Amino acid sequence: MQTPEIVAQTEHWLVVNKPSGMVVHRSRGANDRYTLVKTMRDELGPDVFPVNRLDRQTSGIIVMARSRDAARELSTAFAEREVKKTYEAVVRGWPPLEPDEEHLIDRELTGKPASTRVKLVCKNLLDVSLGVHPQTRIARLRLFPKTGLTPQIRRHLRGWGYPILNDQKHGDRTLNRTFHDVYKVKRMLLHSRSITFTFDGQEYTAEADWSGRTRGLLHYLGVMPEAELDRA
């Protein structure tokens, strides 16, 4: 498994790029020997406290506090929705959007309001059958959740008709099985890309790119915009 990467830090907090496949901490049903919390505490000492969460198969940004006081302040900002998050996902299908055009998914989940803005990054037509058609449409999306329900983005995209590739719980099982058989990829193609938050009166923004291996996959799938090709 890949090693977590610190992408930003101060004496009060750090932002880590969590690899896909790693859990944030141990919990019922996830008794992993190596977790993000354990890995970072082994490196930095015991005063490392996760502020937000990501599913095991979702990669990307985790904010971690370096003290209990910092954890309380940051947790309050998350609870009061004072944090701006950006995700990226690769989905089956072509949403009816032009590049950089936005769409708002505003649909309740388990009786609670939930909103996610969606922007098309790029799309491609794979000359591979991952279902009933001889070719497969895929798209790379940028997502801006206004609310933070679990797992909001995955459920919103499936409900809109564009499931995330390799989403084992909320995606298309037949699609996932065929995608794995063809590309030998296990990870879900959902990534927490950037975050903006305020701490002690100052605003901070941190960004974490897809891993190098996954960037290679995006390039191979044809969903790497030209501006990113020089970094592939």
Side-chain angles (χ1 to χ4, degrees):
M1 182 180 295
Q2 295 172 327
T3 303
E5 175 192 6
I6 298 175
V7 297
Q9 64 180 319
T10 69
E11 61 180 310
H12 300 292
W13 51 261
L14 63 149
V15 178
V16 180
N17 190 358
K18 182 189 81 70
S20 175
M22 175 178 276
V23 296
V24 175
H25 55 73
R26 289 185 177 183
S27 61
R28 182 182 299 177
N31 192 27
D32 297 45
R33 181 179 179 183
Y34 296 105
T35 67
L36 180 64
V37 170
K38 183 181 187 307
T39 300
M40 301 313 298
R41 286 178 176 171
D42 286 347
E43 179 178 343
L44 301 172
D47 291 332
V48 178
F49 309 97
V51 179
N52 64 314
R53 304 286 187 269
L54 290 176
D55 297 327
R56 176 194 293 271
Q57 293 301 329
T58 304
S59 59
I61 285 179
I62 293 288
V63 179
M64 309 186 87
R66 297 303 310 274
S67 68
R68 294 188 184 277
D69 287 343
R72 278 191 287 271
E73 180 174 341
L74 289 165
S75 296
T76 298
F78 274 83
E80 295 181 355
R81 298 178 183 173
E82 297 174 350
V83 176
K84 298 177 183 178
K85 307 175 189 176
T86 302
Y87 288 74
E88 287 192 354
V90 181
V91 301
R92 181 200 64 197
W94 287 352
L97 300 171
E98 296 299 321
D100 292 326
E101 182 182 358
E102 291 190 2
H103 170 76
L104 177 64
I105 303 175
D106 192 9
R107 184 170 66 88
E108 287 189 354
L109 298 173
T110 59
K112 297 180 180 180
S115 298
T116 305
R117 287 191 298 117
V118 184
K119 180 184 290 187
L120 176 67
V121 177
C122 58
K123 59 187 179 181
N124 190 31
L125 181 64
L126 299 177
D127 197 22
V128 174
S129 176
L130 298 180
V132 298
H133 303 290
Q135 295 175 305
T136 304
R137 294 179 173 184
I138 64 170
R140 180 172 164 185
L141 306 177
R142 192 157 292 145
L143 306 130
F144 310 88
K146 291 186 175 182
T147 48
L149 302 183
T150 304
Q152 176 176 314
I153 289 174
R154 297 162 66 184
R155 294 176 64 186
H156 268 172
L157 289 177
R158 176 59 195 256
W160 194 29
Y162 303 97
I164 298 173
L165 296 181
N166 267 359
D167 184 344
Q168 300 299 326
K169 186 172 182 180
H170 300 281
D172 184 308
R173 292 182 180 179
T174 301
L175 169 71
N176 294 339
R177 185 165 51 249
T178 308
F179 184 78
H180 177 264
D181 290 343
V182 173
Y183 296 101
K184 311 302 180 187
V185 175
K186 293 182 179 181
R187 69 152 296 170
M188 177 171 59
L189 293 184
L190 175 63
H191 178 73
S192 176
R193 183 65 183 259
S194 69
I195 192 165
T196 298
F197 61 94
T198 300
F199 181 84
D200 196 24
Q202 184 172 347
E203 186 176 86
Y204 297 91
T205 297
E207 184 168 345
D209 205 347
W210 298 82
S211 70
R213 180 178 300 178
T214 305
R215 286 175 57 77
L217 173 65
L218 299 182
H219 189 187
Y220 187 74
L221 294 174
V223 286
M224 182 76 75
E226 289 187 11
E228 297 183 23
L229 288 178
D230 60 341
R231 296 187 287 118

